[in-house]
Amino acid sequence: MAVYTLPELPYDYAALEPVINPQIVELHHDKHHAAYVKGANDTLEQLAEARDKEQWGSINGLEKNLAFHLSGHILHSIYWHNMTGDGGGEPLAADGVGDLADAIAESFGSFANFKAQLTKAAATTQGSGWGVLAYEPLSGHLIVEQVYDHQGNVGQGSVPVLVFDAWEHAFYLQYKNQKVDFIDAMWAVVNWQDVAKRYAAAKSRADVLLLNP
């Protein structure tokens, strides 16, 4: 039985137009995300076989594959819910997301500072990767991280709450090689209600995410 399964989209393929066209959403979810799910499950089976046979010659590659596919599955699962056709703007107390707005201001100085940093982090990720807003439990602050190929450059205890996919498969059919244009357009579909819920959940679990010294 598969450990991981592909989640359904929370909207139809056309829900994010004109920022992301239906063809990209369909291919991105049904093909690319599905491939990460399959890759994670296949790698778990290969690791189980290695344990059974006590054959560890491929352990480094298998562990790297598991991190790659599992991170791809997790980040995409967040990504779909981070977006809505009714999104955009900035988080405001009047919309019921005041705690998130305050945390962004405290952590980055202002929403404008945060937006500029996440935009640059996502747009300048070398090769394939993500720009991520994450809750860091040791400091209790929000931080921006770059994820390369679903792996490095992240704080080990941080929890992603908003993710911008900067892989070419997320935008190339519509934006060609203009990744910066895609990242700029993404701000129009951010689902701040979802981001606020993820922030609140991460903050409430801080003590179990990382034990206090």
Side-chain angles (χ1 to χ4, degrees):
M1 181 179 295
V3 175
Y4 302 107
T5 58
L6 180 68
E8 293 185 4
L9 286 171
Y11 35 68
D12 62 41
Y13 296 137
L16 303 176
E17 286 194 296
V19 174
I20 307 177
N21 69 38
Q23 185 182 18
I24 289 178
V25 175
E26 181 178 5
L27 289 172
H28 196 168
H29 176 268
D30 296 1
K31 301 298 183 181
H32 291 282
H33 189 172
Y36 297 128
V37 173
K38 183 178 186 303
N41 286 322
D42 288 349
T43 305
L44 287 176
E45 291 182 3
Q46 292 164 12
L47 285 165
E49 182 178 357
R51 290 193 300 272
D52 289 343
K53 297 180 178 180
E54 296 187 358
Q55 295 178 351
W56 302 110
S58 60
I59 185 65
N60 287 343
L62 289 174
E63 295 291 358
K64 187 171 184 179
N65 284 344
L66 181 61
F68 175 82
H69 291 295
L70 182 54
S71 292
H73 174 38
I74 290 171
L75 289 168
H76 280 94
S77 296
I78 297 170
Y79 180 67
W80 304 122
H81 288 274
N82 272 172
M83 298 184 290
T84 174
D86 300 323
E90 64 179 276
L92 299 171
D95 298 325
V97 291
D99 287 347
L100 174 65
D102 290 344
I104 288 174
E106 181 181 356
S107 298
F108 300 97
S110 69
F111 177 79
N113 288 346
F114 154 65
K115 182 178 180 180
Q117 184 176 343
L118 181 55
T119 297
K120 291 297 184 182
T124 61
T125 302
Q126 295 175 342
S128 301
W130 300 70
V132 176
L133 173 68
Y135 177 75
E136 197 288 290
L138 272 183
S139 66
H141 285 84
L142 292 167
I143 59 173
V144 166
E145 300 178 319
Q146 288 178 317
V147 176
Y148 295 100
D149 290 338
H150 295 161
Q151 310 225 19
N153 262 31
V154 298
Q156 295 302 308
S158 58
V159 181
V161 298
L162 173 62
V163 298
F164 279 13
D165 193 343
W167 287 65
E168 286 190 346
H169 64 238
F171 63 87
Y172 198 86
L173 289 177
Q174 185 173 354
Y175 293 84
K176 306 308 181 202
N177 63 338
Q178 300 303 312
K179 179 162 64 174
V180 174
D181 292 345
F182 171 65
I183 299 302
D184 285 340
M186 274 289 299
W187 290 100
V189 293
V190 174
N191 184 349
W192 293 115
Q193 297 293 329
D194 181 70
V195 179
K197 290 177 182 177
R198 293 179 186 279
Y199 167 68
K203 188 176 180 181
S204 70
R205 297 198 306 268
D207 289 341
V208 297
L209 289 170
L210 190 63
L211 294 177
N212 291 324

